[in-house]
Amino acid sequence: MLHLRLISPPERTEDVVRLIERTVGTTHLVVLPGAARDPAGDLVLCDVAREAGDPLLTGLQRLGLEDEGAIAVENVDLTLSRRAEQAEKDAPGEAADAVLWDHLTEATHEESTLSATYLAFITLATMIAACGVVLDNAVLIVGAMAVGPEFGPLAGISTATVRRQPRLALRSVVALIAGFAVAMAVTVGFSWFMDALGLFSERQLESDRPNTAFVYAPDWFSFIVAVLAGIAGTLSLTSAKSGALVGVAISVTTVPAAANAAVALSYGDTWQTWRSSEQLLLNLLGIVLAGTLTLVLQKWLWSRQPRKVNAV
């Protein structure tokens, strides 16, 4: 269930209440006239089944609440109510399949913002991966994959494409390019520093690395895995199953490929640098393509769900 907290101008409250009452899957409607102070208006509370949430939010936006009032949405972890159970039964579709497009846009907007924290995470992940490729340590590679935050901008590009939001697309592309550029530049310096300490060496980079050689060996399997990971990651975002993102993060060779390219560049190995860059671009392309197609398919399937209206 979702809990909605609405601030409505008094002249629109009747329309808001009517919309909620006519939306199948809503319950626990509360109206507190004049309770809101900033902005001034009526406070309207209700619960709605997740699968009925997006149509209701769209209707509330059309009534102008986004501009003249406020719309706040919270996930409800537990509701002990027969009315709530009935509302979820009445709502068309399944909650796990429902997409809250405004929530997805907001989440990807936040995750695709080029911030100091984002740069810190992607840089640290790339430096950890650099240690992994030089030491041929798969554990460090997996750890670096889990730390890397690059799926946020990739999801932002897919979301922006489907929702036709050029600003979100631009923000995501900038975060992606700038993030990897900064991370790789810092990792080059990190490699020189580690080499000066005698902890990295060109011999380690050029030797056989059975555990990490895949990071500079792009092939069709790399692309296929990236596509599958893109689908899984997108589904985890739209269904609010964020735990699955960890599995997605450690299944694609983005940060490790960037790290290998940076270390190879620090030693002047243009062949490994190029091959690692190919691996990186191939994975990024696969994730964005899969994410976009997944969202398009979800949007199409959900549009074919039968809609019900309460007889009020």
Side-chain angles (χ1 to χ4, degrees):
M1 294 291 288
L2 302 173
H3 178 68
L4 271 61
R5 186 177 70 253
L6 313 173
I7 296 178
S8 171
E11 65 273 13
R12 297 187 183 273
T13 301
E14 184 177 346
D15 293 332
V16 169
V17 171
R18 186 181 299 112
L19 173 63
I20 294 172
E21 291 177 336
R22 289 180 59 84
T23 300
V24 174
T26 58
T27 187
H28 304 156
L29 176 60
V30 178
V31 181
L32 302 174
R37 291 293 180 267
D38 183 19
D42 301 331
L43 180 62
V44 181
L45 309 173
C46 73
D47 291 338
V48 58
R50 180 181 174 85
E51 52 269 42
D54 193 66
L56 178 57
L57 291 175
T58 300
L60 292 171
Q61 288 173 307
R62 288 174 180 169
L63 289 176
L65 257 63
E66 185 178 20
D67 300 318
E68 301 178 34
I71 304 173
V73 184
E74 300 173 344
N75 281 305
V76 180
D77 295 327
L78 175 64
T79 301
L80 301 178
S81 166
R82 291 190 180 276
R83 287 183 176 274
E85 293 178 2
Q86 188 60 47
E88 290 183 322
K89 290 179 181 179
D90 292 340
E94 295 295 332
D97 298 332
V99 180
L100 297 176
W101 290 101
D102 289 300
H103 177 270
L104 178 62
T105 300
E106 182 67 23
T108 52
H109 181 279
E110 181 179 349
E111 294 294 326
S112 62
T113 299
L114 184 61
S115 62
T117 301
Y118 171 82
L119 289 175
F121 270 115
I122 196 168
T123 300
L124 290 170
T126 307
M127 292 166 69
I128 293 171
C131 296
V133 297
V134 171
L135 298 176
D136 193 33
N137 189 315
V139 174
L140 291 177
I141 294 295
V142 171
M145 289 176 172
V147 172
E150 72 279 7
F151 191 81
L154 294 172
I157 294 172
S158 297
T159 303
T161 301
V162 175
R163 302 211 72 188
R164 300 178 183 178
Q165 296 180 325
R167 287 188 178 182
L168 176 58
L170 179 60
R171 177 188 294 267
S172 301
V173 170
V174 168
L176 195 65
I177 295 176
F180 274 112
V182 170
M184 292 174 71
V186 172
T187 302
V188 169
F190 175 70
S191 298
W192 288 335
F193 174 73
M194 295 292 281
D195 182 80
L197 294 178
L199 299 176
F200 281 11
S201 69
E202 187 174 2
R203 179 184 59 80
Q204 289 174 298
L205 180 70
E206 302 296 341
S207 64
D208 291 335
R209 290 185 280 145
N211 294 321
T212 59
F214 66 92
V215 301
Y216 59 91
D219 54 23
W220 278 108
F221 280 106
S222 302
F223 183 74
I224 291 172
V225 170
V227 169
L228 295 176
I231 295 172
T234 303
L235 289 176
S236 71
L237 285 177
T238 57
S239 64
K241 296 185 181 298
S242 58
L245 278 177
V246 176
V248 171
I250 63 176
S251 63
V252 289
T253 315
T254 50
V255 166
N260 197 81
V263 176
L265 183 62
S266 71
Y267 286 112
D269 187 337
T270 55
W271 184 81
Q272 278 202 44
T273 300
W274 177 251
R275 294 287 286 174
S276 300
S277 299
E278 285 185 337
Q279 178 78 280
L280 173 62
L281 294 174
L282 192 65
N283 278 269
L284 295 178
L285 176 62
I287 293 173
V288 170
L289 179 62
T292 302
L293 293 178
T294 300
L295 290 176
V296 169
L297 181 60
Q298 285 183 290
K299 190 173 184 178
W300 179 77
L301 289 174
W302 195 254
S303 68
R304 297 176 66 84
Q305 287 284 347
R307 299 296 178 216
K308 300 178 183 178
V309 178
N310 284 325
V312 177

